[in-house]
Amino acid sequence: MLTKVIAQSSVDHFRKWFERADKIVIVSHVSPDGDAIGSSLGLWHFLVSQNKDAYVVVPNGFPGFLKWMPGSKDVLLYDRYMAFADQLIAEADIICCLDFNALSRIGDMAGSVEASPARKILIDHHLYPDDFCRITISHPEISSTSELVFRLICRMGYFPDISREAAECIYTGMMTDTGGFSFNSNHPEIYYIISELLSKGIDKDEIYRKVYNTYSECRLRLMGHVLTRMKIYEECHSALLTLTVEEQNRFNYVKGDSEGFVNIPLSVKGVRFSCFLREDTERDVIKISLRSVGDFPCNKVAAGYFNGGGHLNASGGEFYGTMEEAAARFEEALKAFEPALRRDDL
Ligand code: 5GP
Ligand code: MN
């Protein structure tokens, strides 16, 4: 049995909307990850099974290792089909906002979503959600939005209608947002939910392989290069990885090739804070990814030094300037957080 988690009033409220709605649009964040696509498609499969006219719209493309997911070909990319997507958003009865906590996280779609007269529901697990939806289901203590989608569908009484396809998508989101159940994954109910998803016929081992064992040769060689240049700050138990445009070109970088790099230094004994800086060719900024283990709040570094935010152990932001300046900024942050980082009690 699962505990309730989602407030009864939210479940009842959404069920009322759901029963009367026809057109439902699901939106998720810029550069959608496994949980964004997994939760969106999980919900989408369910809505389609209930004969709803449902669509998933995301701001831009997502990595190749998610493209096997059932329904992924039907995901509309806003940067390619803007006019059509705007029309869907404007005419929707309900807009489901999944895996983000502020309209700024959906980039160019924010204006259309904000302007739409549709009823809006937020289903998310990021801290401090903005108040832009009539129903807000926000649970930062839950490790993925996909898990919340599963819980919501079940609470509405539709567990029997969850298909294998929907279960595969939900499982993928749960798996990717916990690094294959290696962080944020101690809650026993996660494994109860997994057993329920297995009962739908998913092959969790195959899903793992499809997501994690599909690297291109270029990606692996790029990883080798980036790791060779890894900088370790022993006393601060920290590490820094960088990737410039020149290096991206040299290694035939394609979008997504550096996904997950930020986690690798955490496998070095003693390292508990990792930073990855990547020059973004599309937007002329440096994208920052931060990861920590234990109680070190990497989201405070993201917010204080890199115009960003996120979770305690996984956060990110942006920097406007050169790679050298961004690295210097990171070192400034290390100095400021030195007392917390130097602690040896890990
Ligand atoms: P990633 O390193 O995978 O890009 O991002 C990890 C987490 O950091 C995301 O789930 C999100 O919560 C947060 N994050 C990443 N980039 C940004 C950003 O530019 N602004 C804010 N506020 N949060 C971000
Ligand atoms: Mn998520």
Side-chain angles (χ1 to χ4, degrees):
M1 269 298 285
L2 293 175
T3 50
K4 282 196 156 184
V5 178
I6 301 171
Q8 191 62 45
S9 56
S10 298
V11 177
D12 294 341
H13 198 164
F14 182 64
R15 197 200 341 245
K16 255 190 215 132
W17 289 4
F18 165 78
E19 280 164 1
R20 289 177 205 153
D22 179 35
K23 296 182 180 145
I24 303 180
V25 173
I26 299 162
V27 300
S28 195
H29 59 76
V30 171
S31 301
D33 57 8
D35 189 32
I37 297 295
S39 59
S40 297
L41 284 176
L43 182 59
W44 179 78
H45 281 290
F46 166 68
L47 294 174
V48 170
S49 78
Q50 304 303 307
N51 301 314
K52 304 295 180 186
D53 191 11
Y55 296 87
V56 176
V57 187
V58 294
N60 56 356
F62 51 92
F65 63 81
L66 298 174
K67 290 194 175 148
W68 61 271
M69 289 170 78
S72 67
K73 287 186 184 64
D74 291 310
V75 172
L76 264 168
L77 305 184
Y78 189 77
D79 61 0
R80 278 204 224 154
Y81 302 101
M82 199 173 291
F84 180 52
D86 274 341
Q87 189 185 344
L88 291 174
I89 290 167
E91 292 174 358
D93 300 316
I94 301 177
I95 298 178
C96 302
C97 299
L98 265 53
D99 201 40
F100 64 93
N101 58 358
L103 281 170
S104 59
R105 295 280 294 141
I106 56 171
D108 293 342
M109 287 163 59
S112 326
V113 170
E114 191 171 24
S116 170
R119 298 182 154 109
K120 292 165 205 160
I121 175 170
L122 178 78
I123 307 171
D124 179 47
H125 68 137
H126 295 89
L127 290 166
Y128 315 122
D130 279 357
D131 186 15
F132 61 98
C133 290
R134 287 259 291 282
I135 303 175
T136 297
I137 297 176
S138 167
H139 289 276
E141 78 281 15
I142 296 295
S143 56
S144 64
T145 298
S146 297
E147 178 179 334
L148 286 170
V149 164
F150 178 86
R151 286 174 177 277
L152 179 61
I153 295 171
C154 292
R155 288 285 297 289
M156 289 166 65
Y158 288 97
F159 173 75
D161 290 4
I162 295 179
S163 62
R164 180 171 55 83
E165 288 76 11
E168 286 173 343
C169 297
I170 290 167
Y171 182 80
T172 303
M174 292 175 66
M175 181 185 78
T176 53
D177 255 22
T178 55
F181 305 102
S182 65
F183 51 80
N184 290 337
S185 55
N186 282 328
H187 199 296
E189 292 187 4
I190 290 175
Y191 303 93
Y192 178 82
I193 294 174
I194 293 173
S195 73
E196 295 283 68
L197 295 173
L198 287 166
S199 78
K200 298 289 181 179
I202 69 166
D203 183 338
K204 66 179 264 307
D205 303 345
E206 191 188 356
I207 292 176
Y208 185 95
R209 285 195 296 275
K210 281 177 173 168
V211 171
Y212 293 118
N213 297 353
T214 58
Y215 296 161
S216 66
E217 179 185 337
C218 289
R219 176 186 151 104
L220 221 61
R221 293 197 189 282
L222 176 70
M223 189 188 284
H225 170 77
V226 166
L227 290 179
T228 306
R229 297 178 39 77
M230 171 176 65
K231 200 162 170 188
I232 298 276
Y233 302 84
E234 213 164 307
E235 293 187 337
C236 283
H237 304 102
S238 301
L240 175 66
L241 299 177
T242 58
L243 180 58
T244 63
V245 169
E246 186 278 318
E247 291 167 314
Q248 290 172 40
N249 292 337
R250 198 160 11 121
F251 285 88
N252 300 317
Y253 177 92
V254 292
K255 207 170 154 44
D257 269 358
S258 58
E259 187 79 28
F261 280 12
V262 65
N263 296 304
I264 304 173
L266 297 176
S267 61
V268 176
K269 191 170 171 33
V271 171
R272 52 175 187 255
F273 178 40
S274 169
C275 173
F276 176 50
L277 306 173
R278 176 178 57 83
E279 284 179 358
D280 190 328
T281 43
E282 281 171 18
R283 295 179 41 239
D284 202 22
V285 296
I286 295 182
K287 260 312 287 181
I288 287 85
S289 285
L290 299 170
R291 296 290 185 275
S292 64
V293 289
D295 58 6
F296 182 70
C298 73
N299 51 355
K300 285 199 179 153
V301 178
Y305 289 79
F306 293 114
N307 310 299
H311 312 269
L312 182 80
N313 295 135
S315 63
E318 296 181 344
F319 182 83
Y320 301 88
T322 65
M323 185 57 90
E324 288 70 30
E325 288 162 350
R329 186 109 180 110
F330 173 68
E331 290 179 0
E332 240 178 79
L334 284 190
K335 277 220 176 67
F337 285 86
E338 199 171 334
L341 288 168
R342 279 183 81 104
R343 279 172 35 207
D344 277 319
D345 54 352
L346 190 75

